[in-house]
Amino acid sequence: MFSDQVVLITGAGRGIGAAAARMFAERGACVLVNDLDEDTCLSVVERLRAGGAQAHAVPGNVTDSTFADLAIDAAYRIAGGLNVLVNNAGFTWDGMLHKMPDDQWYEILEVHATAPFRIIRSVARHWRAEAKAEIARQQSPTKPRCIINVSSTSGLHGRTGQVNYATAKMGIIGLTKTVAREWGAFGIRCNAVAFGFIDTRLTRPKELGDEMAVGEHTVTLGIPTTMRDAAFSEIPLGRPGTVEEAAGGIVLLASPLAAYVTGHTLEVTGGMGI
């Protein structure tokens, strides 16, 4: 399904991103794996290669202003091009609006909205010129090119304690629709996937104490158990989704089965929010 295609996935060292990397690789893609942690990134690449896939590491912080150009240049240097861009990297840093300092607000908008914008802007240097040349020769683009941006039900419906995350995840939907409008003439598709309650370290009990460093801050990941229990009652299927089920939505929208789908937000939620 993805033979001779190159896929770049940000935040692919674990969770949904790693599952998507496996699924693309199993379907013939050459996968470029990004993660903030180089060792984690290399570990995923090694596992993909052990399964016979083509895979390369592109470690780095997506919020670094130089990352976008470096990552896209790496795709062309290492793999000879790019067909699918998946903007998946991100994390949560929750807090109530009236207590949230500016840096907590901006960090989440930076990783979930600004970073995807920069990466998309960077790939435009190649994709638009390539598509124009194909159109001039054959009256239509010949190579598949698409972007999948990761959103959330928090962006669609809002969620208590996630004003920064909800704002960013709604913003990525606006970005998605605008890219679909601006680049449709070049045969470039852009869609979003809005995830609900997927079983990752961002949704496991906060009491487990999983942490990550954000600048000078240590952020505790997860959701308080009482809020998790309440969230389960909102899911018609009655359970969290697996990372493989979440990644399936990404792969579906990138596949030829969605060749006439653009500007769409696919809800992978178990029915949450209907």
Side-chain angles (χ1 to χ4, degrees):
M1 184 177 288
F2 294 100
S3 296
D4 301 320
Q5 291 196 39
V6 180
V7 180
L8 169 62
I9 308 173
T10 66
R14 69 189 81 223
I16 296 169
R22 291 193 299 273
M23 294 179 75
F24 277 113
E26 289 167 357
R27 289 158 178 78
C30 172
V31 183
L32 305 183
V33 178
N34 160 259
D35 196 82
L36 178 63
D37 184 278
E38 185 172 3
D39 290 340
T40 301
C41 191
L42 291 170
S43 177
V44 173
V45 168
E46 289 173 5
R47 290 197 298 271
L48 294 179
R49 288 177 175 174
Q54 296 183 66
H56 303 277
V58 187
N61 186 344
V62 298
T63 65
D64 187 316
S65 62
T66 66
F67 173 82
D69 287 347
L70 291 174
I72 298 303
D73 289 346
Y76 276 79
R77 184 182 69 256
I78 295 170
L82 186 65
N83 301 96
V84 180
L85 167 62
V86 181
N87 283 309
N88 168 73
F91 60 95
T92 53
W93 187 3
D94 296 345
M96 300 301 286
L97 184 152
H98 63 288
K99 297 180 179 179
M100 184 171 291
D102 285 358
D103 61 344
Q104 188 173 352
W105 168 266
Y106 284 119
E107 283 283 355
I108 294 301
L109 266 67
E110 186 78 7
V111 69
H112 290 286
T114 303
F117 158 73
R118 286 178 178 147
I119 300 170
I120 293 170
R121 182 179 61 185
S122 184
V123 81
R125 295 175 294 145
H126 299 278
W127 279 6
R128 289 171 62 95
E130 292 168 359
K132 286 179 180 179
E134 292 166 8
I135 292 168
R137 291 194 304 268
Q138 304 180 34
Q139 307 305 311
S140 64
T142 59
K143 293 183 180 179
R145 299 180 180 90
C146 72
I147 300 162
I148 311 296
N149 293 319
V150 172
S151 184
S152 166
T153 52
S154 294
L156 298 177
H157 308 295
R159 186 161 292 277
T160 300
Q162 290 194 325
V163 63
N164 50 0
Y165 185 71
T167 300
K169 287 307 192 184
M170 177 51 83
I172 198 70
I173 292 174
L175 174 63
T176 297
K177 291 180 180 292
T178 301
V179 173
R181 286 182 178 274
E182 291 188 0
W183 294 9
F186 306 109
I188 301 169
R189 299 186 300 112
C190 187
N191 291 292
V193 182
F195 294 127
F197 205 108
I198 308 299
D199 182 27
T200 70
R201 63 179 184 155
L202 300 185
T203 61
R204 290 179 188 135
K206 196 164 190 174
E207 292 81 0
L208 293 176
D210 196 356
E211 297 177 336
M212 69 175 291
V214 180
E216 299 177 353
H217 301 276
T218 298
V219 177
T220 302
L221 304 175
I223 301 174
T225 298
T226 54
M227 292 183 68
R228 279 171 50 86
D229 293 343
F232 286 158
S233 67
E234 300 177 23
I235 306 172
L237 289 185
R239 62 173 179 82
T242 67
V243 291
E244 289 78 16
E245 289 169 329
I250 293 172
V251 175
L252 170 63
L253 286 178
S255 79
L257 297 173
Y260 198 59
V261 179
T262 193
H264 179 65
T265 300
L266 176 67
E267 296 186 39
V268 181
T269 67
M272 189 179 192
I274 59 174

